[in-house]
Amino acid sequence: MSEKEGRRTRIIGITGMTCATCAETIERAVGSLEGVASANVNLASEKATFTFDPEKVDISDIEKAIKDSGYGLVSNEVNVKVKGMTCAACVRAVESSLERLDGVISASANLATDSIRVRFEPGLVNISAIKQAISDAGYEPLEAVDLDTERAEREREMYRQRNLLLFALAFGIPTLVLSMLFGMTDVTFGLEKGAQHWVLFLLATPVQVVAGSQFYIGTYKALRNRSANMDTLIAMGTSAAYLASVAVVFLPDLVAFEDVYFDSSAMIISLILLGKYLEARAKGRTSEAIRKLMDLQPKQATVIRDGEEVRIPAENVMVDDVLIIRPGEQIPTDSMVIEGHSSTDESMITGESIPVEKDVGGELIGGTLNQNGLLRARATRVGRDTALAQIVRLVEEAQGSKAPIQRLADRVAAYFVPTVITIAIVSFLVWYLYGYYQFDIDQDVFVFSLSIFITVLVIACPCALGLATPTAIMVGTGKGAENGILIKSGASLEQAGRIEVVAFDKTGTLTKGRPEVTDIRPMEGSREHLLLLAAIAEKGSEHPLADAIMRKASEEGLEVPGAARFLNIPGKGVSVEHEGSELLLGNRKLMEQYALDLEGVEGDLADLERQGRTVIVIARDGVLIGLIAVADTLKESSPRTVRELKRMGIEPVLITGDNRRTAEVIGKELGIERVIAEVLPEDKASMVRELQQGGRKVAMVGDGVNDAPALAVADVGIAIGSGTDVAVETGDIVLIKDDITDVVAAIQLSRRTIAKIRQNLFWAFAYNSAGIPIAAGILYPFFGVLLSPIIAAGAMAMSSVSVVSNAALLKRYTPEVKMESEVEA
């Protein structure tokens, strides 16, 4: 859960939505509540993401608003046996402990059965955290029984649509066949026309009443909220055909026409149900990424309890539990190796296929696979704090968000259905009062005009507009997660595709982040003594350059005492006191700050900087005593990344605190023309703002900690993460692997996803823009072309399926960075 200024974010599954109007209705209903900061409803994932102030509005108020709008809620529910409850006060204590837990919607304890039923949001809390809250309240949680899951709810909906489809086809196909036989052949089965109509009525009525009931229910809900949706169009269109036919059956003397159109109403409903079933299947495929991630969660774990190995559910593992992980087993939760050696397959989390060696002190990621060695590990994170849980949460939040490009579709959807109904009525009146008499038409005027009215209603498809963007975002963010790229929102996904400049931090981003001492040049005393003084000065620092000096001192067997006083000077170096002397270690700026003349070392300094070294100047009591040069080698993937960005038309920029000579050497080696050097950490954000001048879209790539201000200022902040620390709050995109080529992959994926969104929006608008006028009969005066309601229903059903299926094609796409040989070829 993300929190900002006391606000909370909740993700809630919703049932009953059919088109973009439904999503807009829920957003409007919840957004009108005092204390709700934002409401985003995703039609494709059938989830809503709400940000609200819990001091002003309760989650129950939000749920009530959704239910009052006519829609259902989906949540996980679990029944937990609790030991130790003895009275009503115990019941309230357990309930209160759980209700304070983020992600718990409701908790109801039963003293008679010693159990508590908990409704919760699986993206924010799990059973392990629920049991921990019960323990924190002073009671003992026992077994937990799942009563419902979101996946089961989605599957039930899909099977319900399938069963309704089969029911509709069982009656609809005979209705269509008999209508054709009665109308176009001499086959009457010995029945008079009135009897034929009764047979068709008996066949079509179950389709209209049973299979079509959901459209009437949906229409009622929409009208109750003073809106109209896809259900409204279907209900109006099929009811018009059905009721006109019923009038012929029961009141033949009062109507001016004698034909019935039960086949149209029955087949329209059947085809729409076919589309809804295929759409449900396709939407299920678009969200496979979340399900795959959830399936990675191990079910069992072996822990040491009271000196013995015990097999327990993985959700019951606690922090500091000692785990036994055998070869071929999944790692139950995030942990640290305390004994043993092995390699782990982390491809399911990071997308990296090469096994990772693990020794004592190595970090293990829950859900990954131990390959070939027995490991003892200490659990470090459990439940919602694990890397896998954080990844699932980030992907769910991204899939529940909206991209700015969707605003156009949302605006159109708000007026779409009323406009279509108006066009249908106008078309009916134009043909009934004028157009019919201008052409040689051999049908009754009312029947002809009614057919056009029905066709206009059923060919319009607000679903396609509503699904165009969210389905592509779901697949795009899911595909990113599969490749170790976590995209936090639809807005970030869209913005990444528009990037014109990528600014890189150097250390740990373009370089390996583990610099090595390459040169030690004393001006007085021995080489070892200069290294010892440098190590004394840097002992209290956590800077990567300090780490390089300390490692070098350790390699040479030097014992390093601590300094009496340590002062870190950000972006410049350190000042320490040792044996009554002041030691200064740092760059040119530090020496200039202390008014030290560098003339005596300028030659060596320039020589080392020309080689791309970072040079540390050392002074004692105001006198220069030597230089130590450190080099942080480039990652093998950095030159390829820069080259690929340039090939894509994106300008790479290097922003570093290194001196200009060193920075330019690094830039030249990488092929980066624009190098901004000697930048203090707090000034990087200003540099990003300068790059943004003229409206240029800028991405900043950094480690998510030192570069936090710059990441926040950039149009897209790309944080280099790690498998066990993925929730880098400052980045819009988090790269789980330590692979800089994923910057290119993220931009490529964004561009491909936005391309899919544009394709979907184009075809959705084009389909409706062309289909509705054709259904209204605009081509009839020129070419004699007139759509039947049944064909229109089939087109409507397939339009939303095609949009979802087009988005699902993204799953086949794999972002790639070309190798040097491929570029040359």
Side-chain angles (χ1 to χ4, degrees), residues 260-420:
V260 293
Y261 297 91
F262 288 119
D263 56 330
S264 293
S265 64
M267 288 312 297
I268 287 172
I269 289 175
S270 299
L271 289 170
I272 297 302
L273 288 174
L274 172 62
K276 288 177 74 68
Y277 171 64
L278 294 176
E279 180 185 313
R281 284 176 59 101
K283 285 199 293 188
R285 290 197 298 270
T286 62
S287 59
E288 278 181 1
I290 285 288
R291 289 203 295 270
K292 286 179 180 178
L293 289 170
M294 295 293 286
D295 289 341
L296 290 177
Q297 294 177 334
K299 302 298 186 288
Q300 296 288 316
T302 302
V303 301
I304 302 297
R305 294 278 170 87
D306 298 325
E308 295 184 1
E309 292 187 16
V310 181
R311 195 78 172 159
I312 65 172
E315 65 193 29
N316 291 344
V317 173
M318 300 293 182
V319 172
D320 291 333
D321 272 347
V322 175
L323 309 170
I324 303 297
I325 310 164
R326 293 179 171 84
E329 289 185 344
Q330 275 187 298
I331 295 164
T333 191
D334 292 359
S335 48
M336 184 178 70
V337 178
I338 58 176
E339 184 180 316
H341 170 83
S342 184
S343 59
T344 60
D345 178 1
E346 299 181 352
S347 59
M348 61 285 294
I349 299 291
T350 66
E352 177 57 65
S353 59
I354 300 174
V356 182
E357 295 295 317
K358 299 294 181 181
D359 285 305
V360 174
E363 293 184 328
L364 303 176
I365 308 173
T368 59
L369 187 68
N370 180 29
Q371 289 195 320
N372 52 27
L374 178 66
L375 294 174
R376 289 168 64 94
R378 189 177 305 280
T380 54
R381 296 184 182 93
V382 298
R384 60 175 303 207
D385 295 326
T386 64
L388 180 58
Q390 292 177 44
I391 291 171
V392 170
R393 177 177 61 83
L394 287 176
V395 175
E396 279 194 322
E397 288 182 356
Q399 293 187 344
S401 65
K402 288 187 176 183
I405 197 173
Q406 191 174 346
R407 292 171 187 158
L408 174 62
D410 288 345
R411 285 197 296 269
V412 172
Y415 303 99
F416 185 85
V417 174
T419 300
V420 170

Side-chain angles (χ1 to χ4, degrees), residues 394 485-489 491-497 499 501-505 509 685 688 692 697-705 707-721 726-736 740 742-743 746-747:
L394 287 176
I485 302 168
L486 297 183
I487 302 168
K488 290 189 176 181
S489 68
S492 302
L493 181 66
E494 179 179 341
Q495 198 76 283
I499 290 302
V501 179
V502 174
F504 290 98
D505 170 52
T509 302
V688 171
Q692 290 172 321
K697 300 297 182 183
V698 177
M700 176 68 194
V701 185
D703 62 10
V705 180
D707 303 305
L711 289 170
V713 166
D715 296 284
V716 178
I718 303 178
I720 306 294
V726 298
V728 182
E729 294 298 331
T730 48
D732 301 301
I733 296 175
V734 179
L735 310 181
I736 300 178
I740 199 67
D742 282 345
V743 172
I747 295 173

Side-chain angles (χ1 to χ4, degrees), residues 221 225 303 356 403 429 472 498 533 582 671 676 684 692 695 709 795 797:
K221 291 176 180 178
N225 289 287
V303 301
V356 182
L429 293 174
R498 297 174 176 168
L533 291 178
E582 182 185 34
I676 304 174
K684 287 185 179 180
Q692 290 172 321

Side-chain angles (χ1 to χ4, degrees), residues 562-633:
R565 174 185 58 79
F566 176 87
L567 174 64
N568 180 50
I569 306 170
K572 297 179 181 180
V574 297
S575 169
V576 303
E577 183 180 327
H578 175 63
E579 295 181 348
S581 298
E582 182 185 34
L583 295 177
L584 291 177
L585 267 79
N587 55 23
R588 290 173 179 268
K589 286 186 177 181
L590 181 65
M591 300 304 135
E592 290 169 2
Q593 178 177 324
Y594 281 81
L596 295 182
D597 187 3
L598 295 175
E599 185 177 354
V601 295
E602 189 61 52
D604 285 345
L605 193 58
D607 176 55
L608 292 169
E609 288 176 348
R610 277 193 296 269
Q611 299 176 47
R613 309 281 196 259
T614 297
V615 185
I616 301 169
V617 183
I618 306 171
R620 181 173 57 193
D621 292 332
V623 179
L624 299 180
I625 60 173
L627 306 173
I628 291 182
V630 177
D632 185 6
T633 56

Side-chain angles (χ1 to χ4, degrees), residues 415-468:
Y415 303 99
F416 185 85
V417 174
T419 300
V420 170
I421 293 173
T422 302
I423 292 173
I425 294 172
V426 170
S427 299
F428 173 87
L429 293 174
V430 168
W431 282 102
Y432 186 80
L433 298 175
Y434 175 77
Y436 174 86
Y437 303 101
Q438 303 302 310
F439 306 97
D440 186 17
I441 300 173
D442 58 0
Q443 296 182 50
D444 179 85
V445 60
F446 177 80
V447 172
F448 182 84
S449 303
L450 179 65
S451 177
I452 287 177
F453 172 79
I454 295 169
T455 305
V456 171
L457 289 177
V458 299
I459 202 170
C461 190
C463 285
L465 287 174
L467 293 169

Side-chain angles (χ1 to χ4, degrees), residues 455-456 459-460 763-778 787 792 795:
T455 305
V456 171
I459 202 170
W763 288 114
F765 280 115
Y767 164 80
N768 285 293
S769 299
I772 293 173
I774 292 173
I778 195 170
L787 289 180

